[in-house]
Amino acid sequence: MALGPQQRPSFGEMMSPEAGESRSSRTPQHIVARVAELRSVHAAFAWFRAHARELEDLQLELTAIPAPPWGEAERSRWLKAQFEGLGLSNVHQDELGNVFGIRPGADANAPFFALSAHLDTVFPAETPIHVLREGSKLYGPGISDNGSGLTALLAIAGALRDSNIANAAPILFIGNVGEEGEGNLRGMRHIFQQPKWLESIGALVVLDGAGTDTIIAEGLGSRRYEVTVRGPGGHSWSDFGIANPIVALARIIDRFSQTTVPSAPKTTFNIGIVQGGTSVNSIPQSGTMRVDTRSASVEQLDRLERALRDAVKEGTAGRKKQDALTVEVQVIGDRPAADLPSDAHLLKVIRAVDAQLNNSSRVQRASTDANIPLSLGREAIAIGAGGSGGGAHTVNEWYDPAGRDLGLKRILLLTLAMCGVSEE
């Protein structure tokens, strides 16, 4: 019978001392240094350099496949075929389009160490997608976010295969849907709602975007709302004076925008979309706005929600009965806030990896797929895939692969230090 989450050994417990060593000598720094010395690991490092151009071609190829919000199916199928070609086992898609592949480990009872990268982009289905290589840079919508993360996922799988590295714990490769915007982390949320994954994933590292200078170990919470005000509507001349939903929205915005927020914990709100009406000489029948709230504190998110609902109530009050407006407040996004403890094994290992590679990084707070396992008390971080990028969330997005090698080494050492690897 498979071990449940309380029975499975942690990754720290799994790293048993060798002959002549005490358990206390197996510090993260010691583990990372031993892994970095292995000939097979150096072979994997060489693989990254030898396949640099091939990785660029893969990145261009996958970026050319549209993956709009709620429309990742074609890219999911592409990734599934890539996983199969890399020889991963039990390659499959779930009902949402999340893609899975497993590199088995020597210890069948060990929890999975999971590497994930999100498949989706922010761009609507009708967005023209043109990808190109110009000089040293790659261009295309989503080429960095998250073309670079997906490319890194494939690079790690390819290097492990061709370098014959024997990992102890099994490695779970995941391409997940629904990370961006109103996807509301639906892919990762669904994964951790499944008992088989909830009970078997011991730690998760999210590969998201470029760079090597950050460790996202603090999950930024956010809630998003759609507020719709409806009324009878009418002609701007003959029906002048009846309740106007857009005017009511303006009152709501005015009241809500006066809400005070603390600087610590940092808390923000934004009205990002306001729409409604059909013509300049028509009193609209409806008006809608979308509101984004963010904080590291659940209490502050709760306070902002109360402030928004109070503003809605005040902004639509005081109308004549026959002109009464109706209002609906719908939650369209809810990302939990949660932090990785400062003494977590995963955090100690990534810091040891950075020290080994002389890489400078800092812990930051952001909203990523890691929010979901963090909110469940699991060890998770998000890191970049190396290289550099710019123009995120625009059609002019770019990625420069210079420095990708460092990012891939970082991911590989972290993976093997967490999983354990057979000595040579």
Side-chain angles (χ1 to χ4, degrees), residues 5-6 27 36 47 62 69 74 92 124 174 176 190 248 256 284 302 329 338 346 352 396 399-400:
Q6 302 304 316
T27 64
W47 189 97
L62 74 89
E74 185 179 355
H92 67 283
I174 305 171
N176 61 281
H190 180 76
F256 181 61
D302 290 341
V329 180
L346 178 59
N396 299 314
Y399 177 79
D400 188 340

Side-chain angles (χ1 to χ4, degrees), residues 80-389:
K80 180 174 179 288
Q82 296 298 318
F83 279 1
E84 291 169 342
L86 286 165
L88 297 179
S89 65
N90 195 25
V91 176
H92 67 283
Q93 293 173 270
D94 67 14
E95 57 269 36
L96 266 65
N98 296 314
V99 185
F100 305 87
I102 295 171
R103 179 176 174 81
D107 186 349
N109 288 323
F112 283 114
F113 177 75
L115 289 172
S116 75
H118 70 83
L119 289 155
D120 57 318
T121 71
V122 299
F123 303 98
E126 63 273 14
T127 304
I129 298 178
H130 303 292
V131 300
L132 72 151
R133 180 188 281 109
E134 190 172 285
S136 63
K137 293 182 179 179
L138 311 179
Y139 290 85
I143 192 79
S144 181
D145 182 13
N146 192 29
S148 59
L150 289 165
T151 303
L153 200 66
L154 298 174
I156 296 300
L160 287 170
R161 178 196 62 184
D162 292 349
S163 303
N164 296 314
I165 294 174
N167 46 291
I171 304 169
L172 176 64
F173 292 85
I174 305 171
N176 61 281
V177 302
E179 190 273 344
E180 296 284 9
E182 292 166 24
N184 197 32
L185 308 183
R186 65 188 178 93
M188 194 59 66
R189 198 183 302 269
H190 180 76
I191 290 168
F192 278 91
Q193 287 172 344
Q194 310 307 306
K196 68 175 181 178
W197 298 129
L198 178 64
E199 295 174 3
S200 62
I201 295 176
L204 170 73
V205 171
V206 175
L207 309 180
D208 197 346
T212 57
D213 59 344
T214 59
I215 304 167
I216 307 301
E218 301 171 347
L220 175 63
S222 70
R223 291 182 197 164
R224 292 167 178 167
Y225 307 88
E226 183 175 82
V227 179
T228 302
V229 181
R230 296 183 176 87
H235 194 280
S236 62
W237 173 261
S238 58
D239 295 312
F240 178 73
I242 67 172
N244 187 316
I246 290 180
V247 172
L249 275 182
R251 293 194 190 99
I252 295 169
I253 292 170
D254 178 59
R255 285 161 173 76
F256 181 61
S257 64
Q258 297 177 47
T259 305
T260 59
V261 293
S263 57
K266 183 177 179 180
T267 301
T268 66
F269 61 82
N270 181 62
I271 294 93
I273 297 175
V274 178
Q275 58 189 14
T278 55
S279 70
V280 69
N281 61 331
S282 300
I283 299 169
Q285 290 184 292
S286 68
T288 298
M289 71 174 183
R290 290 188 172 183
V291 183
D292 173 86
T293 65
R294 298 184 180 222
S295 180
S297 164
V298 174
E299 290 76 16
Q300 290 299 325
L301 291 174
D302 290 341
R303 188 176 70 86
L304 282 176
E305 179 167 349
R306 289 193 297 270
L308 176 61
R309 293 185 183 277
D310 288 345
V312 166
K313 185 176 180 180
E314 295 171 10
T316 54
R319 305 302 308 175
K320 297 178 182 179
K321 185 175 181 180
Q322 61 269 30
D323 290 341
L325 298 170
T326 61
V327 61
E328 178 184 9
V329 180
Q330 181 181 1
V331 178
I332 59 173
D334 189 352
R335 299 185 177 207
D339 294 352
L340 182 65
S342 59
D343 61 349
H345 183 65
L346 178 59
L347 193 53
K348 291 178 181 178
V349 174
I350 184 60
R351 284 174 166 153
V353 168
D354 283 336
Q356 177 72 30
L357 296 172
N358 294 316
N359 180 57
S360 177
S361 67
R362 62 192 184 279
V363 172
Q364 288 192 326
R365 183 178 300 279
S367 178
T368 71
D369 278 315
N371 284 42
I372 297 301
L374 285 173
S375 71
L376 297 170
R378 301 304 174 85
E379 293 198 1
I381 58 173
I383 60 176
S388 59

